[in-house]
Amino acid sequence: MKLLHTMVRVLDIDASLHFYCDLLGLKELRRHEVPQGQFTLVFLAAEEGGHEIELTYNWGETEPYSDGRNFGHLALRVENIYDTCQRLMDAGVTINRPPRDGHMAFVRSPDGISIELLQEGNLPPQEPWASMENTGTW
């Protein structure tokens, strides 16, 4: 058995692609526009052959989806959690659970999906992260 992809419904495909690709560094692998079903599927991954995230955009959908808590979260390994969190914060993303321990942080996508960021290995605790409080839920 091989895990192929995780599907996430999104309301704003452009905002979601900015978050997942520009800010988190995932790459768009392929896209399927389905006019008869009025939806778009965009498949993303950190690397070719890796686990994929399928963004499902239903055209014309305006009602917010649940906050993603029933889904759980996506987990991404990062090379430097402090640099990643700083880049996200500079782009206006709230760091819900800062990387106080040099290992783990949580943020949310534009559609409220909880994203766990995990440091490859461990970094020593570092300010301002070490004393930063949690914001919201993850």
Side-chain angles (χ1 to χ4, degrees), residues 63-128:
E63 291 297 316
Y65 297 108
S66 72
D67 68 1
R69 297 298 286 174
N70 61 336
F71 165 77
H73 66 266
L74 300 174
L76 303 171
R77 179 174 291 126
V78 298
E79 288 184 27
N80 186 305
I81 198 161
Y82 298 131
D83 291 348
T84 301
C85 286
Q86 187 64 57
R87 188 177 70 252
L88 292 169
M89 199 164 69
D90 290 348
V93 175
T94 299
I95 309 300
N96 298 109
R97 194 276 191 195
R100 288 184 293 274
D101 54 6
H103 179 69
M104 178 181 66
F106 277 89
V107 298
R108 285 191 176 268
S109 77
D111 291 286
I113 301 299
S114 187
I115 309 290
E116 179 181 17
L117 304 173
L118 293 168
Q119 171 64 40
E120 187 171 341
N122 281 315
L123 295 178
Q126 175 180 318
E127 292 298 341

Side-chain angles (χ1 to χ4, degrees), residues 1-21:
M1 182 183 298
K2 179 181 178 184
L3 183 62
L4 298 178
H5 68 264
T6 301
M7 187 272 273
V8 177
R9 288 183 181 88
V10 301
L11 286 177
D12 184 332
I13 192 70
D14 294 327
S16 294
L17 287 171
H18 174 67
F19 178 80
Y20 288 104
C21 295

Side-chain angles (χ1 to χ4, degrees), residues 41-80:
L41 305 178
V42 181
F43 292 86
L44 312 172
E47 59 191 6
E48 192 74 38
H51 181 77
E52 297 178 358
I53 298 173
E54 173 193 326
L55 301 181
T56 298
Y57 171 63
N58 294 302
W59 304 355
E61 183 68 47
T62 58
E63 291 297 316
Y65 297 108
S66 72
D67 68 1
R69 297 298 286 174
N70 61 336
F71 165 77
H73 66 266
L74 300 174
L76 303 171
R77 179 174 291 126
V78 298
E79 288 184 27
N80 186 305

Side-chain angles (χ1 to χ4, degrees), residues 20-37:
Y20 288 104
C21 295
D22 298 338
L23 299 180
L24 290 177
L26 298 180
K27 296 170 186 68
E28 182 175 329
L29 301 178
R30 64 190 177 284
R31 180 184 293 235
H32 300 288
E33 303 277 343
V34 185
Q36 66 275 23

